[in-house]
Amino acid sequence: MMTVLGCIADDFTGATDLAALLARSGVPVSLRIGVPKEPPAATDMVEVVALKTRTAPVEDAVAQARAALHWLQEAGAQRFFWKYCSTFDSTEAGNIGPVAEALMRDLNTDQTIYCPAFPENGRTIFMGNLFVGQQPLAESPMKDHPLTPMRDSNLLRLLGPQVTQPVGLVDRLSVARGAEVIRSELAAFKASGTTHIVIDAVAESDLEAIATACREMPLLTGASSVAMPLPKLLMADQILPREAVRIGPLLVPPETVVLSGSCSAMTQKQVLHYLATGAAGFCLDPLELAATGAEPVLNWLMAQDLAAAPLVYATSEPAKVKAVQDRLGVAKAGRIVEETLAACACAARDAGARRIIVAGGETSGAVTNALGLDRLHIGAEISAGVPWTYGQSDGFQIALALKSGNFGTEAFFSEAQRRLETA
Ligand SMILES: Nc1ncnc2c1ncn2[C@@H]1O[C@H](COP(=O)(O)OP(=O)(O)O)[C@@H](O)[C@H]1O
Ligand SMILES: O=C(O)[C@@H](O)C(=O)COP(=O)(O)O
């Protein structure tokens, strides 16, 4: 099947979020873990390539994004979407702008938009400033993120140092006036040589208007919400054939493991809530891990009843994370936790777990890579932006839920298990 829309995501939970929102349109969406080594064959109309480049050095992120673009072009894609976090998760040294500029060069286009809004999950943009719920980004818990602490809420100031061309803003007052006004402001910016356009959005209707105005741009960038209307628009333009699919629930045995490497405020609540339901839990201490390795937690896990869905978590509050990072360094602390949770995933699979729930974007990348998954199909959405996905690991059908740190309700880990029963 010829691919029409090609998407590149900078982390794995971001990729499943995007795939879930695109799949709401009914089109078949498939998700590739990393850039496939083989040339495209049997691709879906919408393809999402999941990279793990959110915190990668610019050169590396650009090279991987370009390789993904070329694979998607070979698959036939004509429109492209660069997906990053709805909390931006990219500082001055980040790669969102450099990747966008490289993709624009390859696509021979001279303007794109930046719209990380996700109103369903409380992310809105007003006058170029990103909000998380009622708080500006830099006052939200994202200021303490272990890898990408966000200390500025203004997207123009965050993006400016990352790019070589001018940055402009289409603000909410214009967006609220609809697609035609947005289109004419973009045209005026283009005439004045302004390449990178941040666009405000506070409501779903804003995102519809933005997607409508920008649907002919070869490259759009942002969070999943602004991409959500694209399949329907491309169908209306007869670029994408209408082909409804129902990705049925696949039967996987009930043995489950829950792995949490996210320290986000919402994940902290979810871990506490899950433990309060009586679930068995093992708390990872990165300093101990540095000394003993993964053996103690693997021994604990092997002694658990996987039918009762035990939890292994490194989730911790900001002060404790900082103390660990001061001792081990940020990168090493993250790596030790990610490697341990990835080892837990493989050990649990080998012991019979066929349902794996993971909290955290980087963590999901580590787990998915360790499980050797290369393609996921998108199933039922558990909560906004978090679907069940299905893939093959070591010859077994595995159901995998990759949860962004900040997504889901407090009861997410239990809800995810229930959702699979009723999907
Ligand atoms: N207790 C801890 N101390 C230090 N780093 C930690 C701890 N727990 C998790 N981490 C690291 O923090 C990072 C969290 O990022 P991620 O998995 O993307 O979560 P989120 O989705 O919340 O951003 C990972 O690299 C993880 O290994
Ligand atoms: O856009 C979003 O917020 C998510 O799709 C996302 O990218 C999540 O990343 P993590 O918070 O690192 O899981």
Side-chain angles (χ1 to χ4, degrees), residues 111 181-194 197:
Q111 193 176 57
V181 173
I182 298 171
R183 207 174 276 139
S184 74
E185 287 211 8
L186 288 170
F189 272 130
K190 198 173 201 173
S192 71
T194 308
I197 313 297

Side-chain angles (χ1 to χ4, degrees), residues 11 13 52 54 85 89 142 145-148 260-265 267 284-286 313-317 320-322 324-325 328-339 341 359-365 403-406:
D11 87 339
T13 45
K52 189 175 184 302
R54 187 165 289 173
C85 196
D89 287 24
M142 290 309 293
H145 189 279
L147 305 178
T148 48
S260 178
S262 160
C263 297
S264 297
T267 308
L284 295 174
D285 174 348
Y313 63 104
T315 306
S316 187
E317 56 202 47
K320 288 191 187 151
V321 172
K322 182 158 186 326
V324 165
Q325 290 178 332
L328 298 176
V330 174
K332 187 172 175 195
R335 199 177 59 245
I336 288 176
V337 170
E338 289 177 33
E339 284 172 2
L341 290 171
E362 295 296 320
T363 311
S364 293
K403 188 198 78 74
S404 153
N406 293 298

Side-chain angles (χ1 to χ4, degrees), residues 80-123:
F80 300 89
F81 190 82
W82 165 223
K83 159 75 177 70
Y84 41 86
C85 196
S86 63
T87 47
F88 208 62
D89 287 24
S90 186
T91 55
E92 263 188 30
N95 59 49
I96 291 175
V99 166
E101 285 195 329
L103 298 179
M104 287 170 81
R105 265 194 305 279
D106 286 354
L107 290 168
N108 202 18
T109 182
D110 53 6
Q111 193 176 57
T112 191
I113 59 157
Y114 296 79
C115 187
F118 194 167
E120 269 182 276
N121 275 315
R123 278 73 156 141

